[in-house]
Amino acid sequence: MLSQSDNQIYDYVIVGAGSAGCVIARRLSDDPAIRVLLLEAGPPAKGFWIDTPAGMSKLFRNLRYNWGYFTESMPTLRNRSLYWPRGKALGGSSAINGMVYVRGNRGDFDHWANLGNPGWAWDDVLPYFKRLENYPPMTDGPLSVSDPSVKHPTAADFIEAARRMGIPTVHPFSGEEPESAGFLQASIRNGRRHSSYEAYLAPVRDRANLAVKTGMHVRRVLIENRRAIGVEVLQDNRLRTITAAREVILCAGALNSPQVLMLSGIGDGDALQRHGIAPVLHLPGVGRNLQDHFVARIQWASTPESSYNRALHGWRKYAEGARYLATRGGYLASAASMAAAFVRSSSEFSYSNLEMSFRPMTFTYHASGAVEIDKIDAISASVYNTRPASRGEVRLRSNNPLDAPLFLPNLLSEPSDVQTMLSGIRKLRAIVSTEPLAHRVISELTPGSASRTDEELIDYLEREGQCAFHPAGSCKMGSDAMAVVDARLRVRGVDSLRVADASIMPTVTAGNTNAPCIMIGEKASDLIRADQQPV
Ligand SMILES: Cc1cc2nc3c(=O)[nH]c(=O)nc-3n(C[C@H](O)[C@H](O)[C@H](O)COP(=O)(O)OP(=O)(O)OC[C@H]3O[C@@H](n4cnc5c(N)ncnc54)[C@H](O)[C@@H]3O)c2cc1C
């Protein structure tokens, strides 16, 4: 294969135009003297179903915009291999995700700082959340954070039932409360998905000092004398090398950033050698510490007015489509969940370790990959274990950069995670059987009210539990032997190389992960600018 050099010189080469990468490209290129290149393996994200929030279901298995990964089979989950979607487009996973906007909890970030990461405590990161959010009149950042287009009465009753169970009602969620329930905000602007690309880069694409290139699969980082000097990229079957005068910043996400590091010779030395890769630096933490929220979905048959399933079937579906086109509102403008309760599974936890996200509707994942709204009147909620103890790993499958990495998330491998999920299902059932929600429910559909004992519920978790699509932690920030980056996100032992995306989280945040990744991008851009040395 021919290797060509790109004659253009860039100060910073950013790998991956996802939630974090787009932010860094925007913030660094705010300085016209800095030349920035953003490389994305996927295509531009365009089209009606990308823009329309309800289009999330159409993107779920769409391999044009989605890497469409699968985990290895997991003994803890009856040897099931779980589907793990990841965005592959400008915007990354924020171009295909459920758009729910949650900062995470004060406790998450204070914990990061306590683990030896100065500058990442809640009081340090809160200004970055405020800088990124656009929620007038409170904040005026680039990313629109909006209230639900429809506040369905059943979701309001879920929040009130949670309140009667002792969970305080808030709006908006601030991240300060140990437990809380309320309507969820979403990264939606005027009824359209607001990916990090749309928020940060679309408005500045004409900048002379910013190049954004799609269809560029980065194979590895080029390292000379323990310094990153550029990247090797596959574009239309041709190999190119691109030079970075100052730094290479990996923002390829929690599943691909460790892969690119390992392909570059940075990782566990023995494992690299087994794949025929000459180790540049033995950094055994690369790919380890992988975490995701484990999730179980509970569904109930409901009274007709309690569910909006019918609004999306038959002739009503067309009426709903017309409503969306005319007003950019209605159910097609809704995020993946409408309301949530952040709850502690037991008093051992000082802040929530469960998220219960609620929808006055239900859907079915078909084997074909289609996601279909059910025709019956029904409502649902997902229980997430947001502070899991189980840890997994990303490994290389081969030394071929085009092969998917190998994923072993080991979900539910720690007994405490099983206990958390059992508590979560029981607490959710208690909320749903509290008024004013209780009278709306006819019967539990899944797992069904007959599933009551620990054994019966564990059986359900093992058969039906899923990944939450919030992988994190695989290049963790810290100072112990397994840390991959330091608190300034610099890869330990290599100059001019950083990682800035979900993989740097030492522990996954206790909520949906898009907002924290955008915050990481904001903070990373300040760290990079502060560390800028003359070339
Ligand atoms: C289906 C789904 C639903 C979700 N729903 C929500 C939600 O409702 N709310 C929420 O907060 N979070 C949600 N998430 C999670 C959230 O979107 C992610 O945590 C977040 O987007 C991750 O950001 P990131 O910057 O780490 O990586 P990503 O946004 O995934 O970006 C990584 C980018 O790098 C590119 N890339 C990878 N490898 C290479 C390579 N070798 N060369 C070049 N480019 C490369 C990828 O194509 C991608 O564009 C969801 C995720 C998914 C997949």
Side-chain angles (χ1 to χ4, degrees), residues 252-267:
L255 303 184
N256 293 105
S257 283
Q259 181 192 26
V260 175
L261 282 179
M262 290 187 271
L263 290 168
S264 314
I266 301 171

Side-chain angles (χ1 to χ4, degrees), residues 167-401:
I167 317 293
T169 304
V170 297
H171 191 75
F173 288 107
S174 71
E176 298 274 359
E177 313 83 12
E179 292 191 310
S180 51
F183 281 103
L184 283 162
Q185 295 175 298
S187 45
I188 294 176
R189 181 182 171 81
N190 299 331
R192 292 187 174 90
R193 170 189 295 279
H194 214 210
S195 70
S196 70
Y197 174 78
E198 289 301 329
Y200 280 83
L201 286 183
V204 300
R205 270 303 289 271
D206 56 354
R207 283 181 175 171
N209 63 329
L210 170 67
V212 179
K213 298 193 179 184
T214 53
M216 305 285 271
H217 191 116
V218 173
R219 288 167 48 116
R220 63 188 179 114
V221 181
L222 300 169
I223 297 165
E224 224 173 67
N225 302 326
R226 293 230 169 158
R227 178 174 184 271
I229 55 161
V231 292
E232 189 178 81
V233 181
L234 196 61
Q235 180 193 26
D236 296 332
N237 247 354
R238 277 177 314 167
L239 213 50
R240 290 176 172 277
T241 57
I242 299 175
T243 306
R246 292 180 188 277
E247 288 192 24
V248 174
I249 303 144
L250 290 182
C251 303
L255 303 184
N256 293 105
S257 283
Q259 181 192 26
V260 175
L261 282 179
M262 290 187 271
L263 290 168
S264 314
I266 301 171
D268 181 274
D270 290 341
L272 295 179
Q273 272 170 337
R274 280 199 294 278
H275 288 294
I277 297 170
V280 170
L281 176 71
H282 175 65
L283 204 54
V286 175
R288 309 289 283 274
N289 190 48
L290 177 69
Q291 299 157 51
D292 195 359
H293 300 147
F294 181 78
V295 58
R297 202 151 47 101
I298 318 290
Q299 306 181 91
W300 299 267
S302 70
T303 57
E305 75 289 356
S306 299
S307 163
Y308 70 76
N309 282 359
R310 274 173 204 255
L312 299 173
H313 277 289
W315 65 268
R316 289 189 182 89
K317 173 167 86 178
Y318 299 102
E320 198 54 39
R323 177 186 178 195
Y324 178 71
L325 291 176
T327 66
R328 296 285 161 200
Y331 297 122
L332 298 193
S334 297
S337 297
M338 198 174 277
F342 292 87
V343 176
R344 291 180 293 168
S345 64
S346 78
S347 54
E348 272 169 55
F349 291 87
S350 58
Y351 67 95
S352 68
N353 61 330
L354 289 164
E355 178 177 348
M356 299 167 183
S357 60
F358 180 84
R359 306 167 206 97
M361 51 90 76
T362 57
F363 53 86
T364 301
Y365 293 112
H366 291 292
S368 64
V371 183
E372 198 188 15
I373 311 290
D374 297 324
K375 291 192 172 121
I376 53 167
D377 300 314
I379 59 175
S380 59
S382 299
V383 182
Y384 299 80
N385 174 12
T386 53
R387 294 168 61 194
S390 303
R391 296 288 181 268
E393 176 175 5
V394 180
R395 289 190 204 149
L396 287 183
R397 189 175 302 276
S398 76
N399 63 9
N400 180 352

Side-chain angles (χ1 to χ4, degrees), residues 121-139:
W122 174 252
D123 291 339
D124 302 312
V125 301
L126 183 58
Y128 289 106
F129 281 114
K130 291 185 175 166
R131 178 164 112 180
L132 75 88
E133 293 167 4
N134 189 306
Y135 185 58
M138 286 154 77
T139 50

Side-chain angles (χ1 to χ4, degrees), residues 16 18-20 40-41 67 85 88 92-93 97-100 218 502 512-514:
S19 298
E40 168 55 44
W67 293 90
K88 181 186 179 185
S93 296
N97 71 6
M99 293 151 288
V100 166
V218 173
N512 313 60
T513 43
N514 190 43

Side-chain angles (χ1 to χ4, degrees), residues 61 67-72 81-85 397 404-407:
R61 293 259 186 167
W67 293 90
Y69 289 141
F70 283 86
T71 69
E72 294 301 291
S81 158
L82 302 187
Y83 179 55
W84 225 354
R397 189 175 302 276
L406 194 144
F407 312 114

